[in-house]
Amino acid sequence: MMAAGRAAEQGATVLLVEKTHRLGNKVLLTGGGRCNVTNTASPKEFVNAFGKNGRFLYRALTVFSNSDLINFFSSRGLEMRVDPDGKVFPVDNRAASVLAVLRRYIDDNHVRILHNTVVTHIIFQPGEGLRAGGVGCADLNELVAGKVIVAAGGMSYPKTGSSGDGYTLARQCGHSIVPLTPGLVALESAEPLLQELQGITLKDISLSVLVDGKKKVSGHGDILFTHFGVSGPTVLMLSGIVIDALAAGSPVVLSLHLRPAYTAQELDHILQREFESRGAITLARYLKDALPKAFAPFFERRCVVEPGKRCSKISREERKRIVLLFTDFRIPITKPRPIEEAIITRGGVSLGEINPRTMESRIARGLFFCGEMIDVDGMTGGYNLQAAFSTGYLAGESAAQIQ
Ligand SMILES: Cc1cc2nc3c(=O)[nH]c(=O)nc-3n(C[C@H](O)[C@H](O)[C@H](O)COP(=O)(O)OP(=O)(O)OC[C@H]3O[C@@H](n4cnc5c(N)ncnc54)[C@H](O)[C@@H]3O)c2cc1C
């Protein structure tokens, strides 16, 4: 929508071909229906949020930055608010309001829309060199056009319409696709009894990813236990490293520090004091008070100390085992949830084959790519939508201007 609107605003006659009966199905799901549109991060932080491929976005983020995006909405009557962590949402907390502004943008610029139409291939103009000449659609004649922008999204949440067609279209044109993996996704564990924890959230903990026993990265936040393993924003954020390590055949373990404000030594002193002052109660009772109720029995089983033992009777060795569990509670990870459940798709059209100044294909003239289908994926926090909007804006502008 951003690409189509910007191209039309620049004077192009634009036809937007959409597979489903409605534009923006995925936008409606974003941010739990509230749509985390962008982030107030600096350009450098923005680029860093996309890892090693972030530099590719530099031009797009300069041409259409996060403040340009905020202005885009506010100048069209949709004010934005900023959370303390920099995440930007519409003030009314409605993704539908974001979609309505985008829709008005393309309507005001006279973009024609063809719904329920699946693009199946790109057609090329006759003559020397590869030059896009339109698209072929299922159940329809070919649509002739001087330029083609492919903005078909990734392949997660396929019911929204983005089911990986963009990669097929790009491949048909000779583009290479960096292998597709789930991004920002929940993780599965084969840990017996973990299912008992389904629905429990541990809040304000520290979470580290151990690969081959070595700490690779840590995050702070909440963890949610599910019927298959673990989820929640911090898990999603760390999932990329987990997926890469599992793909390389390395064992991966999540280590939870349940009292991140304290070191193991400090916690040992705290427990020692508390076990003395509350000596008459049992360990089971103590853990029930110290941990979410449903989590306590699971913890208890792991620490191999008789739960009926009075706190005053707990030995130094036993206390050390309890401290270790508080600071390094391990959950082995077997695999990520499937790509269909991922927030984004990692991998995509290889960046070396796209001109970052225009988003035009380096293989076929007049062919442009933007959005999630190119090989960039960012952290949670509004980065992915901003990348889609920025690359879409740049692709639309370039398609309208380049001869
Ligand atoms: C549950 C969920 C929550 C999210 N929350 C956030 C968030 O809060 N903030 C954030 O920054 N990001 C979020 N994201 C990620 C973000 O939504 C995507 O990165 C973004 O929508 C990508 O935009 P896009 O235009 O590239 O693709 P999409 O939004 O997927 O749009 C692609 C469009 O192309 C159409 N299409 C596909 N194939 C064809 C074809 N062959 N012919 C015609 N049309 C076709 C599809 O129907 C679709 O309309 C979230 C994602 C999910 C799944």
Side-chain angles (χ1 to χ4, degrees):
M1 279 182 273
M2 185 60 85
R6 183 60 185 161
E9 202 172 33
Q10 292 289 292
T13 304
V14 182
L15 176 65
L16 174 49
V17 186
E18 165 57 42
K19 181 175 177 175
T20 70
H21 70 286
R22 182 177 63 179
L23 294 170
N25 293 310
K26 195 169 272 182
V27 170
L28 291 175
L29 301 181
T30 54
R34 295 187 306 140
C35 190
N36 178 194
V37 178
T38 184
N39 197 290
T40 53
S42 69
K44 191 162 174 253
E45 288 167 327
F46 244 99
V47 166
N48 288 342
F50 289 87
K52 64 178 175 23
N53 288 350
R55 284 180 58 188
F56 177 88
L57 294 174
Y58 195 78
R59 170 77 180 166
L61 290 169
T62 308
V63 170
F64 193 69
S65 68
N66 48 358
S67 31
D68 293 328
L69 183 64
I70 292 168
N71 286 341
F72 174 88
F73 288 110
S74 56
S75 66
R76 288 170 174 80
L78 182 59
E79 293 302 331
M80 295 283 152
R81 73 172 168 78
V82 183
D83 272 6
D85 56 3
K87 291 179 185 168
V88 180
F89 294 87
V91 274
D92 65 359
N93 279 325
R94 290 181 69 241
S97 304
V98 170
L99 184 55
V101 171
L102 288 164
R103 181 62 205 242
R104 205 166 350 109
Y105 179 51
I106 58 175
D107 287 346
D108 288 350
N109 286 290
H110 312 293
V111 172
R112 281 198 303 131
I113 305 165
L114 213 51
H115 285 107
N116 298 311
T117 309
V118 184
V119 173
T120 53
H121 57 281
I122 310 292
I123 56 175
F124 294 98
Q125 297 184 25
E128 270 182 35
L130 214 49
R131 185 179 272 274
V135 295
C137 304
D139 310 322
L140 205 78
N141 291 332
E142 290 182 336
L143 300 166
V144 174
K147 313 276 171 49
V148 174
I149 303 172
V150 187
M155 58 189 301
S156 66
Y157 283 67
K159 283 191 181 144
T160 59
S162 34
S163 54
D165 297 3
Y167 308 119
T168 310
L169 296 172
R171 252 191 225 107
Q172 286 167 357
C173 302
H175 278 275
S176 25
I177 305 297
V178 174
L180 307 169
T181 57
L184 304 177
V185 71
L187 301 170
E188 292 190 19
S189 174
E191 172 73 19
L193 309 177
L194 203 65
Q195 285 197 351
E196 286 175 25
L197 299 180
Q198 186 177 340
I200 295 175
T201 300
L202 297 180
K203 291 189 178 296
D204 276 334
I205 62 160
S206 164
L207 210 69
S208 300
V209 177
L210 309 185
V211 177
D212 284 322
K214 290 195 198 81
K215 190 196 277 195
K216 285 286 172 200
V217 64
S218 297
H220 189 99
D222 304 345
I223 186 172
L224 168 70
F225 293 93
T226 64
H227 64 284
F228 53 75
V230 288
S231 187
T234 317
V235 169
L236 300 193
M237 198 86 114
L238 301 177
S239 62
I241 288 189
V242 173
I243 291 163
D244 291 344
L246 289 171
S250 303
V252 178
V253 166
L254 286 188
S255 162
L256 317 187
H257 190 323
L258 307 176
R259 294 284 183 273
Y262 303 110
T263 63
Q265 206 182 10
E266 288 165 342
L267 202 58
D268 189 41
H269 290 318
I270 293 170
L271 288 191
Q272 190 178 6
R273 269 202 316 272
E274 290 187 348
F275 286 173
E276 276 167 18
S277 65
R278 304 183 68 195
I281 65 164
T282 63
L283 175 64
R285 175 74 255 162
Y286 178 84
L287 292 177
K288 272 203 188 86
D289 293 344
L291 294 164
K293 218 156 123 207
F295 185 71
F298 188 71
F299 186 98
E300 202 178 278
R301 254 174 267 148
R302 281 265 192 106
C303 63
V304 210
V305 179
E306 169 52 43
K309 201 168 192 174
R310 297 202 181 283
C311 286
S312 59
K313 300 284 181 212
I314 291 172
S315 71
R316 189 164 175 273
E317 277 320 303
E318 288 170 331
R319 197 179 66 237
K320 295 263 180 237
R321 285 212 293 275
I322 298 167
V323 169
L324 187 64
L325 269 193
F326 266 108
T327 54
D328 185 14
F329 191 96
R330 295 189 172 202
I331 299 171
I333 299 299
T334 42
K335 57 180 176 176
R337 291 296 283 170
I339 204 161
E340 291 77 13
E341 293 178 24
I343 297 293
I344 48 160
T345 305
R346 296 163 84 214
V349 182
S350 179
L351 300 183
E353 299 164 357
I354 305 170
N355 182 348
R357 301 190 66 77
T358 59
M359 305 307 294
E360 188 174 22
S361 159
R362 292 192 195 274
I363 294 177
R365 301 297 314 275
L367 178 65
F368 299 79
F369 297 106
C370 60
E372 193 175 318
M373 61 174 296
I374 66 173
D375 181 23
V376 288
D377 61 277
M379 300 192 309
T380 54
Y383 296 98
N384 290 297
L385 276 175
Q386 177 71 53
F389 286 131
S390 293
T391 55
Y393 185 96
L394 180 57
E397 186 160 287
S398 311
Q401 287 172 359
I402 291 174
Q403 288 310 307

